[in-house]
Amino acid sequence: MNLRKAMLIWLLIAFAESVNGTVREFVIAPLIGDRFAHQIGFVIGSGFIFFVAWLTAPWLKADPFRAQIKIGGLWLILMVAFEFGLGFARGLSWERMLVEYNPAHGGLMSFGLVILLLAPAFGAWVRAKGDNPRPPH
């Protein structure tokens, strides 16, 4: 696993997710409400994560699947640390932040963590499928 490359890609993801969250909170939520804005933000953020994983798969050269999952695990750990660090910096309580991870309360972050974990493997798989299309029957 190329730790430097994996961390650079995560920085790109974290930056984009921060922009996504800022736009969601200050532009989208006032127009359509917080809950629906979170759902839209989740879809946009997930799409971006998968796109970045697909785009960077050749550069990352993480192979086999085990290495891809290790990178996804690194991204997951870094994102949780970043999210909670940012939450504490904003003065949010543990309870408030944990609600974002609880699907029973509408939180989607736990699904986002699964996406982060699987994104490098999925991106590499989709990239490989595109590079080796099946011949027509």
Side-chain angles (χ1 to χ4, degrees):
M1 169 171 72
N2 188 323
L3 187 61
R4 185 174 118 329
K5 288 181 179 181
M7 291 188 72
L8 285 171
I9 295 166
W10 176 81
L11 283 172
L12 174 64
I13 292 169
F15 175 76
E17 288 293 333
S18 296
V19 170
N20 184 27
T22 301
V23 169
R24 181 195 72 232
E25 188 170 327
F26 294 108
V27 177
I28 300 172
L31 296 173
I32 63 172
D34 195 48
R35 185 175 184 144
F36 194 49
H38 270 84
Q39 293 168 347
I40 290 172
F42 174 78
V43 171
I44 291 169
S46 299
F48 182 79
I49 290 168
F50 282 133
F51 175 73
V52 167
W54 170 81
L55 186 68
T56 60
W59 181 65
L60 192 54
K61 295 180 183 169
D63 198 38
F65 178 77
R66 183 180 177 116
Q68 296 159 354
I69 293 298
K70 282 183 181 180
I71 290 169
L74 173 67
W75 291 356
L76 183 151
I77 290 166
L78 291 171
M79 193 60 77
V80 168
F82 177 73
E83 289 286 335
F84 279 92
L86 187 62
F88 284 126
R90 293 178 58 208
L92 300 177
S93 68
W94 275 106
E95 293 79 19
R96 170 66 181 93
M97 289 186 286
L98 290 174
V99 165
E100 297 295 327
Y101 291 85
N102 187 344
H105 291 105
L108 299 172
M109 289 295 292
S110 56
F111 299 113
L113 296 180
V114 172
I115 288 169
L116 272 172
L117 177 66
L118 299 177
F122 184 75
W125 178 74
V126 171
R127 176 68 75 167
K129 285 291 216 182
D131 292 343
N132 300 311
R134 291 182 5 189
H137 294 264

